[in-house]
Amino acid sequence: MDHVISGVAKFQRDVFPKNKEVFQKLATSQNPEVLFITCSDSRIDPNMVTQTGPGDLFICRNAGNVVPPHSNQTGGMTASIEFAVAALGVEHIVICGHTDCGAMKGALAPEALDELPHVKEWLGHCRGATEVVKHKHGSVGSEHLDEVTKENVLLQIQHLKTHPSVAGRLACKEVQIHGWVYSIETGEVLCYDNKSESFKPMEECYASETAFKSAIGL
């Protein structure tokens, strides 16, 4: 904990003064372009991976980057998605899974979660992903972790589309949904390509994007 406390002191002493104008602008409002939904895993830093700063991403995190299907029962994710889309007007939604995901390991072996009943119930939202992989291979196990991780991102995108605020804006082409998987070991980000119905390296999926070309020096 000491390094966390000293980190705050360093932020106040060295970082905040250099960015004072940015924080003054953000002090009374926010206007993020992206709703970024990812896992709670401590190894994932959305702002580091995307090289963004305060005010750029509206971030929602939970075990397994889960988006429960819309229902009349209000939950934290449901309310946050509605606020980001309907009130803040984000134009992009990213659902980002990652390698070596503990939640996906749990989804693959729910019988091991009997002493974590809330975790077990939560990961029921990922069951469709494990069933897809099981149907493809006849069985599913730890060797399918990466495949389940990708299928889970696609499943949560399906769930996301059931939320009224998202459905309405999708119909009017006012929001875009992106499915990503981040590799902790290599830093690579795979993105789901709707045309090929497969995950591809980011440089292939976003080759036509001006910002991406600029970032890689094209």
Side-chain angles (χ1 to χ4, degrees):
M1 188 63 186
D2 288 347
H3 70 288
V4 175
I5 295 171
S6 62
V8 173
K10 182 178 180 180
F11 166 76
Q12 294 174 332
R13 182 185 65 247
D14 301 330
V15 179
F16 184 86
K18 295 178 182 177
N19 298 276
K20 191 173 182 179
E21 290 185 6
V22 174
F23 289 109
Q24 286 180 335
K25 184 178 180 181
L26 293 171
T28 58
S29 65
Q30 61 172 322
N31 186 34
E33 182 184 6
V34 180
L35 165 59
F36 199 96
I37 300 171
T38 193
C39 188
S40 300
D41 194 298
S42 62
R43 298 168 292 178
I44 312 304
D45 187 333
N47 291 114
M48 179 180 287
V49 172
T50 61
Q51 289 296 284
T52 51
D56 292 332
L57 306 177
F58 189 87
I59 301 172
C60 292
R61 306 184 67 159
N62 63 60
N65 38 273
V66 167
V67 177
H70 182 265
S71 71
N72 290 327
Q73 183 176 354
T74 299
M77 284 300 297
T78 300
S80 296
I81 290 168
E82 183 178 71
F83 180 73
V85 176
L88 295 178
V90 297
E91 297 176 3
H92 299 270
I93 304 174
V94 174
I95 297 183
C96 184
H98 67 92
T99 56
D100 195 49
C101 181
M104 293 304 97
K105 292 177 183 179
L108 281 165
E111 67 280 357
L113 300 175
D114 288 343
E115 294 187 9
L116 300 170
H118 294 294
V119 174
K120 186 174 184 178
E121 181 178 0
W122 178 253
L123 294 181
H125 293 302
C126 306
R127 183 180 175 185
T130 60
E131 287 297 320
V132 168
V133 177
K134 182 179 180 180
H135 187 75
K136 288 181 178 179
H137 299 285
S139 63
V140 64
S142 58
E143 67 273 18
H144 300 118
L145 178 60
D146 288 345
E147 190 173 353
V148 167
T149 298
K150 293 174 182 176
E151 288 294 343
N152 183 60
V153 168
L154 301 182
L155 177 64
Q156 304 314 320
I157 287 176
Q158 291 181 38
H159 292 173
L160 181 64
K161 292 178 180 179
T162 68
H163 290 249
S165 57
V166 176
R169 282 157 181 77
L170 275 176
C172 295
K173 302 186 184 304
E174 295 174 358
V175 69
Q176 296 180 43
I177 299 175
H178 310 257
W180 294 1
V181 175
Y182 164 65
S183 172
I184 296 172
E185 183 176 8
T186 68
E188 183 180 38
V189 177
L190 297 178
C191 312
Y192 186 72
D193 177 57
N194 288 303
K195 291 183 179 179
S196 65
E197 297 185 341
S198 64
F199 282 86
K200 294 183 175 182
M202 178 167 280
E203 58 267 26
E204 293 184 30
C205 287
Y206 297 102
S208 62
E209 298 289 337
T210 302
F212 189 84
K213 288 183 178 180
S214 176
I216 60 177
L218 295 179

